[in-house]
Amino acid sequence: MAQPQFVPVKNTLDTIQQVLFEARNLLSVVTETPELEAEILLAHVLNTSRSYLHAFCEARLNEDQVQAYTHYLMRRRHQEPIAYITGSREFWSLDLVVSPDTLIPRPETELLVQSVLDIYAHAAAIKIADLGTGSGAVALALAKEKPASQIYATDTSDSALQIARKNAQQLQLGNISFHQGNWCTALPCDKFDVIVSNPPYLGEMEWDAYAEGLAFEPREALLSGLDGLDAIRTISHSAREYLTSGGYLLVEHGFLQGAAVRKIFAASGYSQIHTVRDLSDRERVTIGQYK
């Protein structure tokens, strides 16, 4: 990556070091990691790495760079997620494009990917469906890890699918296709070895408690009925017709929803039902097998 050209100076108010100091103070009221976020935003403005900021901390920013950085800091000060400001987020070591049309991929969702890989550790080629793909994070991670497999990703939002397709193109992953529609009904064929989904799972009664932190993300990708389980009920019921005998359904859910999701799976006729805990020891992904 080409490095930006700076004029090294000392003791001015527009050096990288001074700008970062001011930015950390500004962001300390909205984040627990002001130093990290200040560096991420400045590295984005300068199209460089965070390590470069430390190596050339006395370099001077030009006026346009200072203005752009100030604009980004103000957006973050108003609690806009940093991923939307930079337009990118890392997931499963993949650099993904994100936008307000998609949810921001969370680290805990990587458990969904890992759970599929654990089940099919010795299977080279399987057919996978990812329902509600959003930015394509889960589908793309599986496409990378299972290059001989075919992944079908669905979403009701055409805008989200445009982002997912862009990510697939940039990552040069050709074993994935995208289909617009509601959950399983968007799938072009009817037999999959595994169906995965990170569906909306917040209840409408919970929205006030989470609204501030999620205000910039698409509400329709977060809310699912009064108890947050409507989408999971629909997926659990309909996935049965799209799974091969012995195929698996895996869904991510809220950490207090494990027991309810296991009950939904059982009522839909799945067996070998169990829930996997995330790194915080919270129930996060429920798995069921259908025969």
Side-chain angles (χ1 to χ4, degrees), residues 103-287:
L103 288 182
I104 299 169
R106 265 70 171 182
E108 55 266 27
T109 302
E110 292 188 354
L111 183 60
L112 198 57
V113 177
Q114 187 60 58
S115 297
V116 174
L117 298 179
D118 289 343
I119 294 170
Y120 292 99
H122 303 294
I126 56 176
K127 188 179 289 186
I128 304 169
D130 174 32
L131 308 181
T133 196
S135 65
V138 171
L140 293 165
L142 290 170
K144 178 184 178 183
E145 296 297 332
K146 291 287 187 181
S149 298
Q150 185 61 40
I151 291 85
Y152 298 77
T154 77
D155 206 289
T156 58
S157 168
D158 179 64
S159 297
L161 288 176
Q162 289 182 34
I163 296 294
R165 289 190 185 98
K166 183 176 182 178
N167 282 322
Q169 292 169 358
Q170 291 186 354
L171 296 169
Q172 298 182 333
L173 294 170
N175 58 329
I176 182 171
S177 60
F178 299 95
H179 309 273
Q180 187 174 6
N182 190 44
W183 308 126
C184 288
T185 60
L187 295 171
C189 51
D190 62 356
K191 293 301 175 185
F192 293 84
D193 298 295
V194 59
I195 294 176
V196 300
S197 184
N198 176 21
Y201 52 75
L202 284 181
E204 293 177 8
M205 301 298 291
E206 300 177 280
W207 181 248
D208 288 345
Y210 292 98
E212 184 174 346
L214 299 172
F216 289 86
E217 300 192 57
R219 184 167 175 164
E220 64 275 12
L222 294 163
L223 290 177
S224 186
L226 289 176
D227 62 359
L229 297 171
D230 281 3
I232 292 176
R233 291 189 186 96
T234 298
I235 292 168
S236 176
H237 179 76
S238 61
R240 301 175 301 179
E241 303 301 319
Y242 292 83
L243 285 169
T244 58
S245 179
Y248 288 89
L249 173 65
L250 298 86
V251 297
E252 179 179 330
H253 50 73
F255 66 89
L256 296 177
Q257 294 175 325
V261 175
R262 290 190 293 273
K263 185 177 180 180
I264 291 170
F265 274 35
S268 296
Y270 295 88
S271 61
Q272 307 298 319
I273 301 167
H274 61 284
T275 301
V276 184
R277 292 177 176 268
D278 60 23
L279 294 177
S280 299
D281 199 33
R282 292 174 166 179
E283 294 190 324
R284 184 63 60 184
V285 171
T286 292
I287 303 169

Side-chain angles (χ1 to χ4, degrees), residues 18-123:
Q18 182 62 33
V19 165
L20 284 175
F21 177 79
E22 299 292 341
R24 287 194 296 268
N25 290 337
L26 184 70
L27 296 181
S28 63
V29 299
V30 295
T31 176
E32 295 179 354
T33 56
E35 183 173 1
L36 172 63
E37 294 193 11
E39 292 178 3
I40 290 173
L41 290 174
L42 186 55
H44 178 66
V45 168
L46 303 180
N47 191 31
T48 189
S49 65
R50 288 173 55 215
S51 61
Y52 187 89
L53 304 180
H54 294 280
F56 294 89
C57 63
E58 294 184 344
R60 180 190 299 165
L61 279 68
N62 64 41
E63 183 177 349
D64 289 343
Q65 291 165 341
V66 171
Q67 289 182 356
Y69 190 47
T70 300
H71 175 65
Y72 287 160
L73 290 172
M74 290 300 99
R75 289 171 63 182
R76 185 68 188 108
R77 182 68 181 263
H78 287 91
Q79 301 188 355
E80 183 175 351
I82 197 166
Y84 289 157
I85 299 173
T86 63
S88 66
R89 183 62 170 260
E90 183 179 293
F91 180 87
W92 200 263
S93 298
L94 303 175
D95 188 19
L96 301 178
V97 174
V98 297
S99 82
D101 293 313
T102 68
L103 288 182
I104 299 169
R106 265 70 171 182
E108 55 266 27
T109 302
E110 292 188 354
L111 183 60
L112 198 57
V113 177
Q114 187 60 58
S115 297
V116 174
L117 298 179
D118 289 343
I119 294 170
Y120 292 99
H122 303 294

